[in-house]
mmCIF file of all heavy atoms in Angstrom:
data_model
loop_
_atom_site.group_PDB
_atom_site.id
_atom_site.type_symbol
_atom_site.label_atom_id
_atom_site.label_comp_id
_atom_site.label_asym_id
_atom_site.label_seq_id
_atom_site.Cartn_x
_atom_site.Cartn_y
_atom_site.Cartn_z
ATOM 1 N N VAL A 146 48.929 16.221 -17.077
ATOM 2 C CA VAL A 146 48.122 15.106 -16.615
ATOM 3 C C VAL A 146 46.638 15.436 -16.641
ATOM 4 O O VAL A 146 45.795 14.571 -16.877
ATOM 5 C CB VAL A 146 48.591 14.686 -15.199
ATOM 6 C CG1 VAL A 146 47.648 13.616 -14.631
ATOM 7 C CG2 VAL A 146 50.009 14.183 -15.218
ATOM 8 N N ALA A 147 46.315 16.710 -16.401
ATOM 9 C CA ALA A 147 44.910 17.134 -16.379
ATOM 10 C C ALA A 147 44.183 16.913 -17.699
ATOM 11 O O ALA A 147 42.974 16.857 -17.762
ATOM 12 C CB ALA A 147 44.796 18.594 -15.970
ATOM 13 N N GLU A 148 44.946 16.774 -18.796
ATOM 14 C CA GLU A 148 44.364 16.607 -20.110
ATOM 15 C C GLU A 148 44.303 15.152 -20.541
ATOM 16 O O GLU A 148 43.987 14.857 -21.704
ATOM 17 C CB GLU A 148 45.137 17.451 -21.142
ATOM 18 C CG GLU A 148 45.147 18.946 -20.875
ATOM 19 C CD GLU A 148 43.775 19.489 -20.634
ATOM 20 O OE1 GLU A 148 42.827 19.051 -21.352
ATOM 21 O OE2 GLU A 148 43.607 20.347 -19.745
ATOM 22 N N VAL A 149 44.628 14.229 -19.666
ATOM 23 C CA VAL A 149 44.555 12.798 -19.951
ATOM 24 C C VAL A 149 43.184 12.301 -19.578
ATOM 25 O O VAL A 149 42.757 12.417 -18.454
ATOM 26 C CB VAL A 149 45.678 12.020 -19.228
ATOM 27 C CG1 VAL A 149 45.568 10.522 -19.551
ATOM 28 C CG2 VAL A 149 47.047 12.554 -19.570
ATOM 29 N N MET A 150 42.477 11.720 -20.562
ATOM 30 C CA MET A 150 41.112 11.238 -20.333
ATOM 31 C C MET A 150 41.047 9.734 -19.991
ATOM 32 O O MET A 150 40.033 9.295 -19.458
ATOM 33 C CB MET A 150 40.248 11.491 -21.595
ATOM 34 C CG MET A 150 40.221 12.941 -22.062
ATOM 35 S SD MET A 150 39.572 14.029 -20.798
ATOM 36 C CE MET A 150 40.113 15.611 -21.452
ATOM 37 N N LEU A 151 42.084 8.993 -20.278
ATOM 38 C CA LEU A 151 42.028 7.535 -20.175
ATOM 39 C C LEU A 151 42.548 7.073 -18.800
ATOM 40 O O LEU A 151 43.509 7.652 -18.239
ATOM 41 C CB LEU A 151 42.859 6.886 -21.259
ATOM 42 C CG LEU A 151 42.542 7.383 -22.695
ATOM 43 C CD1 LEU A 151 43.349 6.596 -23.712
ATOM 44 C CD2 LEU A 151 41.069 7.295 -22.983
ATOM 45 N N THR A 152 41.940 5.996 -18.293
ATOM 46 C CA THR A 152 42.279 5.520 -16.955
ATOM 47 C C THR A 152 42.771 4.060 -16.950
ATOM 48 O O THR A 152 43.284 3.584 -15.938
ATOM 49 C CB THR A 152 41.068 5.627 -16.012
ATOM 50 O OG1 THR A 152 39.959 4.881 -16.559
ATOM 51 C CG2 THR A 152 40.656 7.067 -15.805
ATOM 52 N N GLY A 153 42.630 3.340 -18.054
ATOM 53 C CA GLY A 153 43.103 1.950 -18.097
ATOM 54 C C GLY A 153 42.770 1.297 -19.384
ATOM 55 O O GLY A 153 42.054 1.867 -20.232
ATOM 56 N N TRP A 154 43.268 0.083 -19.592
ATOM 57 C CA TRP A 154 42.941 -0.665 -20.782
ATOM 58 C C TRP A 154 43.271 -2.157 -20.554
ATOM 59 O O TRP A 154 43.964 -2.524 -19.655
ATOM 60 C CB TRP A 154 43.789 -0.172 -21.984
ATOM 61 C CG TRP A 154 45.196 -0.656 -22.001
ATOM 62 C CD1 TRP A 154 45.721 -1.702 -22.716
ATOM 63 C CD2 TRP A 154 46.305 -0.121 -21.269
ATOM 64 N NE1 TRP A 154 47.055 -1.843 -22.486
ATOM 65 C CE2 TRP A 154 47.450 -0.888 -21.592
ATOM 66 C CE3 TRP A 154 46.441 0.908 -20.370
ATOM 67 C CZ2 TRP A 154 48.691 -0.656 -21.039
ATOM 68 C CZ3 TRP A 154 47.665 1.175 -19.812
ATOM 69 C CH2 TRP A 154 48.800 0.415 -20.131
ATOM 70 N N ARG A 155 42.641 -2.987 -21.384
ATOM 71 C CA ARG A 155 42.982 -4.423 -21.335
ATOM 72 C C ARG A 155 42.731 -5.014 -22.732
ATOM 73 O O ARG A 155 41.887 -4.518 -23.511
ATOM 74 C CB ARG A 155 42.125 -5.154 -20.317
ATOM 75 C CG ARG A 155 40.652 -5.143 -20.568
ATOM 76 C CD ARG A 155 39.904 -5.882 -19.435
ATOM 77 N NE ARG A 155 38.449 -5.800 -19.586
ATOM 78 C CZ ARG A 155 37.712 -6.660 -20.256
ATOM 79 N NH1 ARG A 155 38.312 -7.666 -20.867
ATOM 80 N NH2 ARG A 155 36.412 -6.504 -20.314
ATOM 81 N N ARG A 156 43.489 -6.044 -23.042
ATOM 82 C CA ARG A 156 43.345 -6.710 -24.344
ATOM 83 C C ARG A 156 42.244 -7.759 -24.243
ATOM 84 O O ARG A 156 42.179 -8.505 -23.287
ATOM 85 C CB ARG A 156 44.665 -7.403 -24.736
ATOM 86 C CG ARG A 156 44.597 -8.184 -26.028
ATOM 87 C CD ARG A 156 45.911 -8.895 -26.284
ATOM 88 N NE ARG A 156 46.978 -7.980 -26.689
ATOM 89 C CZ ARG A 156 47.212 -7.671 -27.974
ATOM 90 N NH1 ARG A 156 46.487 -8.212 -28.938
ATOM 91 N NH2 ARG A 156 48.201 -6.833 -28.282
ATOM 92 N N ARG A 157 41.379 -7.802 -25.260
ATOM 93 C CA ARG A 157 40.313 -8.822 -25.339
ATOM 94 C C ARG A 157 40.687 -9.961 -26.238
ATOM 95 O O ARG A 157 40.406 -11.114 -25.946
ATOM 96 C CB ARG A 157 39.018 -8.162 -25.786
ATOM 97 C CG ARG A 157 38.523 -7.060 -24.815
ATOM 98 C CD ARG A 157 37.337 -6.313 -25.406
ATOM 99 N NE ARG A 157 36.202 -7.185 -25.619
ATOM 100 C CZ ARG A 157 35.106 -6.816 -26.322
ATOM 101 N NH1 ARG A 157 35.053 -5.612 -26.866
ATOM 102 N NH2 ARG A 157 34.133 -7.649 -26.500
ATOM 103 N N ASP A 158 41.310 -9.678 -27.371
ATOM 104 C CA ASP A 158 41.903 -10.682 -28.236
ATOM 105 C C ASP A 158 42.961 -10.015 -29.067
ATOM 106 O O ASP A 158 43.419 -8.920 -28.719
ATOM 107 C CB ASP A 158 40.835 -11.414 -29.095
ATOM 108 C CG ASP A 158 40.025 -10.479 -29.941
ATOM 109 O OD1 ASP A 158 40.606 -9.457 -30.436
ATOM 110 O OD2 ASP A 158 38.843 -10.745 -30.222
ATOM 111 N N GLU A 159 43.332 -10.595 -30.170
ATOM 112 C CA GLU A 159 44.492 -10.077 -30.912
ATOM 113 C C GLU A 159 44.296 -8.653 -31.382
ATOM 114 O O GLU A 159 45.265 -7.856 -31.399
ATOM 115 C CB GLU A 159 44.759 -10.981 -32.118
ATOM 116 C CG GLU A 159 46.002 -10.544 -32.903
ATOM 117 C CD GLU A 159 46.283 -11.476 -34.093
ATOM 118 O OE1 GLU A 159 45.467 -12.399 -34.331
ATOM 119 O OE2 GLU A 159 47.308 -11.281 -34.769
ATOM 120 N N HIS A 160 43.089 -8.290 -31.744
ATOM 121 C CA HIS A 160 42.853 -6.940 -32.339
ATOM 122 C C HIS A 160 41.807 -6.140 -31.605
ATOM 123 O O HIS A 160 41.431 -5.053 -32.050
ATOM 124 C CB HIS A 160 42.450 -7.080 -33.802
ATOM 125 C CG HIS A 160 43.522 -7.669 -34.669
ATOM 126 N ND1 HIS A 160 43.275 -8.687 -35.570
ATOM 127 C CD2 HIS A 160 44.867 -7.426 -34.740
ATOM 128 C CE1 HIS A 160 44.407 -9.004 -36.186
ATOM 129 N NE2 HIS A 160 45.385 -8.267 -35.687
ATOM 130 N N ARG A 161 41.286 -6.650 -30.506
ATOM 131 C CA ARG A 161 40.215 -5.952 -29.813
ATOM 132 C C ARG A 161 40.659 -5.626 -28.364
ATOM 133 O O ARG A 161 41.270 -6.472 -27.694
ATOM 134 C CB ARG A 161 38.931 -6.760 -29.789
ATOM 135 C CG ARG A 161 38.307 -6.975 -31.174
ATOM 136 C CD ARG A 161 36.924 -7.561 -31.039
ATOM 137 N NE ARG A 161 36.952 -8.811 -30.264
ATOM 138 C CZ ARG A 161 35.928 -9.264 -29.547
ATOM 139 N NH1 ARG A 161 34.811 -8.578 -29.463
ATOM 140 N NH2 ARG A 161 36.026 -10.422 -28.894
ATOM 141 N N PHE A 162 40.250 -4.442 -27.911
ATOM 142 C CA PHE A 162 40.671 -3.947 -26.618
ATOM 143 C C PHE A 162 39.521 -3.190 -25.945
ATOM 144 O O PHE A 162 38.600 -2.723 -26.625
ATOM 145 C CB PHE A 162 41.893 -3.002 -26.753
ATOM 146 C CG PHE A 162 43.016 -3.603 -27.529
ATOM 147 C CD1 PHE A 162 43.041 -3.479 -28.913
ATOM 148 C CD2 PHE A 162 44.007 -4.296 -26.905
ATOM 149 C CE1 PHE A 162 44.082 -4.027 -29.660
ATOM 150 C CE2 PHE A 162 45.068 -4.860 -27.644
ATOM 151 C CZ PHE A 162 45.070 -4.707 -29.034
ATOM 152 N N THR A 163 39.591 -3.081 -24.648
ATOM 153 C CA THR A 163 38.665 -2.261 -23.884
ATOM 154 C C THR A 163 39.455 -1.197 -23.160
ATOM 155 O O THR A 163 40.438 -1.508 -22.446
ATOM 156 C CB THR A 163 37.849 -3.077 -22.851
ATOM 157 O OG1 THR A 163 37.083 -4.051 -23.564
ATOM 158 C CG2 THR A 163 36.923 -2.176 -22.067
ATOM 159 N N VAL A 164 39.095 0.032 -23.362
ATOM 160 C CA VAL A 164 39.772 1.194 -22.733
ATOM 161 C C VAL A 164 38.789 1.896 -21.854
ATOM 162 O O VAL A 164 37.639 2.126 -22.248
ATOM 163 C CB VAL A 164 40.345 2.152 -23.832
ATOM 164 C CG1 VAL A 164 41.012 3.360 -23.177
ATOM 165 C CG2 VAL A 164 41.311 1.441 -24.766
ATOM 166 N N SER A 165 39.227 2.254 -20.639
ATOM 167 C CA SER A 165 38.322 3.001 -19.745
ATOM 168 C C SER A 165 38.764 4.444 -19.711
ATOM 169 O O SER A 165 39.940 4.798 -19.935
ATOM 170 C CB SER A 165 38.383 2.398 -18.330
ATOM 171 O OG SER A 165 39.699 2.376 -17.853
ATOM 172 N N ALA A 166 37.822 5.323 -19.410
ATOM 173 C CA ALA A 166 38.104 6.759 -19.414
ATOM 174 C C ALA A 166 37.242 7.444 -18.339
ATOM 175 O O ALA A 166 36.370 6.813 -17.742
ATOM 176 C CB ALA A 166 37.785 7.362 -20.799
ATOM 177 N N GLN A 167 37.521 8.699 -18.120
ATOM 178 C CA GLN A 167 36.685 9.530 -17.277
ATOM 179 C C GLN A 167 36.571 10.909 -17.908
ATOM 180 O O GLN A 167 37.569 11.501 -18.294
ATOM 181 C CB GLN A 167 37.209 9.661 -15.887
ATOM 182 C CG GLN A 167 36.234 10.379 -14.931
ATOM 183 C CD GLN A 167 36.767 10.522 -13.519
ATOM 184 O OE1 GLN A 167 37.552 11.418 -13.226
ATOM 185 N NE2 GLN A 167 36.289 9.654 -12.632
ATOM 186 N N TRP A 168 35.324 11.395 -18.007
ATOM 187 C CA TRP A 168 35.071 12.741 -18.529
ATOM 188 C C TRP A 168 34.626 13.648 -17.361
ATOM 189 O O TRP A 168 33.668 13.298 -16.634
ATOM 190 C CB TRP A 168 33.968 12.727 -19.559
ATOM 191 C CG TRP A 168 34.337 11.994 -20.822
ATOM 192 C CD1 TRP A 168 35.586 11.798 -21.331
ATOM 193 C CD2 TRP A 168 33.410 11.373 -21.729
ATOM 194 N NE1 TRP A 168 35.529 11.070 -22.515
ATOM 195 C CE2 TRP A 168 34.190 10.798 -22.765
ATOM 196 C CE3 TRP A 168 32.048 11.249 -21.779
ATOM 197 C CZ2 TRP A 168 33.645 10.101 -23.836
ATOM 198 C CZ3 TRP A 168 31.483 10.547 -22.824
ATOM 199 C CH2 TRP A 168 32.269 10.031 -23.854
ATOM 200 N N PRO A 169 35.271 14.769 -17.145
ATOM 201 C CA PRO A 169 34.871 15.653 -16.040
ATOM 202 C C PRO A 169 33.539 16.307 -16.350
ATOM 203 O O PRO A 169 33.141 16.472 -17.481
ATOM 204 C CB PRO A 169 36.028 16.667 -15.979
ATOM 205 C CG PRO A 169 36.531 16.718 -17.402
ATOM 206 C CD PRO A 169 36.405 15.290 -17.913
ATOM 207 N N ARG A 170 32.878 16.711 -15.288
ATOM 208 C CA ARG A 170 31.592 17.411 -15.453
ATOM 209 C C ARG A 170 31.821 18.821 -16.041
ATOM 210 O O ARG A 170 30.942 19.382 -16.675
ATOM 211 C CB ARG A 170 30.895 17.521 -14.105
ATOM 212 C CG ARG A 170 30.492 16.152 -13.522
ATOM 213 C CD ARG A 170 30.131 16.280 -12.073
ATOM 214 N NE ARG A 170 28.923 17.073 -11.869
ATOM 215 C CZ ARG A 170 28.546 17.547 -10.680
ATOM 216 N NH1 ARG A 170 29.282 17.333 -9.623
ATOM 217 N NH2 ARG A 170 27.466 18.263 -10.583
ATOM 218 N N LEU A 171 32.999 19.358 -15.760
ATOM 219 C CA LEU A 171 33.337 20.687 -16.304
ATOM 220 C C LEU A 171 34.780 20.660 -16.667
ATOM 221 O O LEU A 171 35.662 20.342 -15.866
ATOM 222 C CB LEU A 171 33.076 21.768 -15.254
ATOM 223 C CG LEU A 171 33.388 23.233 -15.715
ATOM 224 C CD1 LEU A 171 32.451 23.637 -16.831
ATOM 225 C CD2 LEU A 171 33.242 24.179 -14.519
ATOM 226 N N HIS A 172 35.087 21.002 -17.933
ATOM 227 C CA HIS A 172 36.475 21.011 -18.436
ATOM 228 C C HIS A 172 36.857 22.427 -18.786
ATOM 229 O O HIS A 172 35.997 23.239 -19.144
ATOM 230 C CB HIS A 172 36.583 20.095 -19.676
ATOM 231 C CG HIS A 172 37.978 19.895 -20.134
ATOM 232 N ND1 HIS A 172 38.607 20.752 -21.014
ATOM 233 C CD2 HIS A 172 38.885 18.931 -19.833
ATOM 234 C CE1 HIS A 172 39.821 20.316 -21.258
ATOM 235 N NE2 HIS A 172 40.032 19.238 -20.572
ATOM 236 N N GLY A 173 38.157 22.703 -18.668
ATOM 237 C CA GLY A 173 38.605 24.097 -18.911
ATOM 238 C C GLY A 173 38.445 24.520 -20.335
ATOM 239 O O GLY A 173 38.428 25.743 -20.618
ATOM 240 N N PHE A 174 38.344 23.584 -21.285
ATOM 241 C CA PHE A 174 38.190 23.990 -22.676
ATOM 242 C C PHE A 174 37.022 23.308 -23.366
ATOM 243 O O PHE A 174 36.236 23.948 -24.059
ATOM 244 C CB PHE A 174 39.481 23.691 -23.485
ATOM 245 C CG PHE A 174 39.326 24.058 -24.962
ATOM 246 C CD1 PHE A 174 39.377 25.380 -25.334
ATOM 247 C CD2 PHE A 174 39.091 23.113 -25.900
ATOM 248 C CE1 PHE A 174 39.215 25.737 -26.673
ATOM 249 C CE2 PHE A 174 38.921 23.424 -27.214
ATOM 250 C CZ PHE A 174 39.008 24.740 -27.605
ATOM 251 N N PHE A 175 36.924 21.956 -23.212
ATOM 252 C CA PHE A 175 35.813 21.241 -23.883
ATOM 253 C C PHE A 175 34.534 21.614 -23.181
ATOM 254 O O PHE A 175 34.204 21.208 -22.091
ATOM 255 C CB PHE A 175 36.074 19.749 -23.799
ATOM 256 C CG PHE A 175 37.277 19.318 -24.604
ATOM 257 C CD1 PHE A 175 38.426 18.859 -23.975
ATOM 258 C CD2 PHE A 175 37.278 19.356 -25.973
ATOM 259 C CE1 PHE A 175 39.541 18.455 -24.696
ATOM 260 C CE2 PHE A 175 38.402 18.968 -26.707
ATOM 261 C CZ PHE A 175 39.524 18.508 -26.082
ATOM 262 N N ALA A 176 33.774 22.485 -23.854
ATOM 263 C CA ALA A 176 32.685 23.170 -23.221
ATOM 264 C C ALA A 176 31.464 22.277 -23.044
ATOM 265 O O ALA A 176 31.185 21.407 -23.845
ATOM 266 C CB ALA A 176 32.296 24.399 -24.041
ATOM 267 N N THR A 177 30.719 22.533 -21.973
ATOM 268 C CA THR A 177 29.399 21.925 -21.821
ATOM 269 C C THR A 177 28.470 22.491 -22.920
ATOM 270 O O THR A 177 28.388 23.709 -23.068
ATOM 271 C CB THR A 177 28.849 22.257 -20.423
ATOM 272 O OG1 THR A 177 29.691 21.745 -19.416
ATOM 273 C CG2 THR A 177 27.441 21.633 -20.244
ATOM 274 N N VAL A 178 27.826 21.623 -23.658
ATOM 275 C CA VAL A 178 26.994 22.055 -24.738
ATOM 276 C C VAL A 178 25.539 21.681 -24.391
ATOM 277 O O VAL A 178 25.183 20.477 -24.465
ATOM 278 C CB VAL A 178 27.419 21.404 -26.069
ATOM 279 C CG1 VAL A 178 26.566 21.943 -27.228
ATOM 280 C CG2 VAL A 178 28.887 21.667 -26.330
ATOM 281 N N ASP A 179 24.756 22.663 -24.011
ATOM 282 C CA ASP A 179 23.326 22.403 -23.694
ATOM 283 C C ASP A 179 23.176 21.253 -22.719
ATOM 284 O O ASP A 179 22.297 20.402 -22.915
ATOM 285 C CB ASP A 179 22.553 22.159 -25.011
ATOM 286 C CG ASP A 179 21.065 22.244 -24.817
ATOM 287 O OD1 ASP A 179 20.611 22.941 -23.869
ATOM 288 O OD2 ASP A 179 20.341 21.619 -25.615
ATOM 289 N N GLY A 180 24.036 21.229 -21.702
ATOM 290 C CA GLY A 180 23.906 20.181 -20.713
ATOM 291 C C GLY A 180 24.525 18.813 -21.093
ATOM 292 O O GLY A 180 24.356 17.869 -20.380
ATOM 293 N N HIS A 181 25.242 18.805 -22.199
ATOM 294 C CA HIS A 181 25.856 17.547 -22.708
ATOM 295 C C HIS A 181 27.394 17.667 -22.646
ATOM 296 O O HIS A 181 27.945 18.770 -22.737
ATOM 297 C CB HIS A 181 25.460 17.285 -24.155
ATOM 298 C CG HIS A 181 24.014 17.063 -24.374
ATOM 299 N ND1 HIS A 181 23.072 18.111 -24.364
ATOM 300 C CD2 HIS A 181 23.303 15.898 -24.601
ATOM 301 C CE1 HIS A 181 21.880 17.578 -24.587
ATOM 302 N NE2 HIS A 181 21.972 16.290 -24.742
ATOM 303 N N HIS A 182 28.019 16.521 -22.520
ATOM 304 C CA HIS A 182 29.476 16.482 -22.726
ATOM 305 C C HIS A 182 29.794 16.873 -24.150
ATOM 306 O O HIS A 182 29.074 16.515 -25.086
ATOM 307 C CB HIS A 182 30.043 15.109 -22.423
ATOM 308 C CG HIS A 182 30.019 14.740 -20.947
ATOM 309 N ND1 HIS A 182 30.920 15.300 -20.056
ATOM 310 C CD2 HIS A 182 29.226 13.915 -20.223
ATOM 311 C CE1 HIS A 182 30.678 14.820 -18.849
ATOM 312 N NE2 HIS A 182 29.677 13.977 -18.924
ATOM 313 N N ASP A 183 30.884 17.615 -24.299
ATOM 314 C CA ASP A 183 31.287 18.108 -25.605
ATOM 315 C C ASP A 183 31.612 16.971 -26.583
ATOM 316 O O ASP A 183 32.450 16.112 -26.237
ATOM 317 C CB ASP A 183 32.520 19.008 -25.392
ATOM 318 C CG ASP A 183 32.901 19.820 -26.641
ATOM 319 O OD1 ASP A 183 32.450 19.454 -27.738
ATOM 320 O OD2 ASP A 183 33.675 20.763 -26.476
ATOM 321 N N PRO A 184 31.040 16.924 -27.776
ATOM 322 C CA PRO A 184 31.409 15.889 -28.747
ATOM 323 C C PRO A 184 32.891 15.906 -29.090
ATOM 324 O O PRO A 184 33.445 14.880 -29.442
ATOM 325 C CB PRO A 184 30.537 16.228 -29.960
ATOM 326 C CG PRO A 184 29.337 16.952 -29.383
ATOM 327 C CD PRO A 184 29.892 17.751 -28.239
ATOM 328 N N LEU A 185 33.523 17.105 -28.975
ATOM 329 C CA LEU A 185 34.958 17.131 -29.214
ATOM 330 C C LEU A 185 35.737 16.453 -28.115
ATOM 331 O O LEU A 185 36.888 15.975 -28.345
ATOM 332 C CB LEU A 185 35.447 18.571 -29.423
ATOM 333 C CG LEU A 185 35.604 18.987 -30.874
ATOM 334 C CD1 LEU A 185 34.238 19.063 -31.558
ATOM 335 C CD2 LEU A 185 36.314 20.321 -31.016
ATOM 336 N N LEU A 186 35.180 16.366 -26.914
ATOM 337 C CA LEU A 186 35.777 15.589 -25.869
ATOM 338 C C LEU A 186 35.781 14.098 -26.233
ATOM 339 O O LEU A 186 36.714 13.353 -25.951
ATOM 340 C CB LEU A 186 35.049 15.812 -24.530
ATOM 341 C CG LEU A 186 35.610 15.140 -23.289
ATOM 342 C CD1 LEU A 186 37.002 15.679 -22.984
ATOM 343 C CD2 LEU A 186 34.674 15.340 -22.106
ATOM 344 N N VAL A 187 34.693 13.685 -26.907
ATOM 345 C CA VAL A 187 34.622 12.305 -27.375
ATOM 346 C C VAL A 187 35.687 12.077 -28.448
ATOM 347 O O VAL A 187 36.393 11.064 -28.434
ATOM 348 C CB VAL A 187 33.223 12.001 -28.003
ATOM 349 C CG1 VAL A 187 33.139 10.589 -28.477
ATOM 350 C CG2 VAL A 187 32.131 12.286 -26.961
ATOM 351 N N ALA A 188 35.853 13.032 -29.362
ATOM 352 C CA ALA A 188 36.911 12.915 -30.390
ATOM 353 C C ALA A 188 38.306 12.831 -29.761
ATOM 354 O O ALA A 188 39.130 12.023 -30.174
ATOM 355 C CB ALA A 188 36.826 14.097 -31.332
ATOM 356 N N GLU A 189 38.562 13.644 -28.752
ATOM 357 C CA GLU A 189 39.855 13.603 -28.061
ATOM 358 C C GLU A 189 40.073 12.279 -27.388
ATOM 359 O O GLU A 189 41.198 11.758 -27.366
ATOM 360 C CB GLU A 189 39.944 14.770 -27.063
ATOM 361 C CG GLU A 189 41.158 14.721 -26.153
ATOM 362 C CD GLU A 189 42.504 14.882 -26.865
ATOM 363 O OE1 GLU A 189 42.536 15.212 -28.068
ATOM 364 O OE2 GLU A 189 43.545 14.677 -26.221
#
């Protein structure tokens, strides 16, 4: 469960959706990069 980034979703129309997420300030693997959230966290 600790590796799940998503917190909810809803349908906007047939092909469009809104998904909510939360990114931790410090993750066990996705490293803080120069004070930024890890771009690989975005990819995940």
Side-chain angles (χ1 to χ4, degrees):
V146 173
E148 301 308 321
V149 179
M150 304 300 164
L151 309 184
T152 57
W154 79 98
R155 63 182 175 89
R156 178 185 286 270
R157 299 173 60 190
D158 58 33
E159 184 178 4
H160 296 134
R161 296 190 304 151
F162 308 87
T163 298
V164 178
S165 57
Q167 186 180 81
W168 294 333
R170 296 165 65 194
L171 181 65
H172 187 272
F174 178 77
F175 295 110
T177 300
V178 183
D179 194 25
H181 297 77
H182 288 287
D183 190 343
L185 261 67
L186 184 64
V187 181
E189 171 65 9

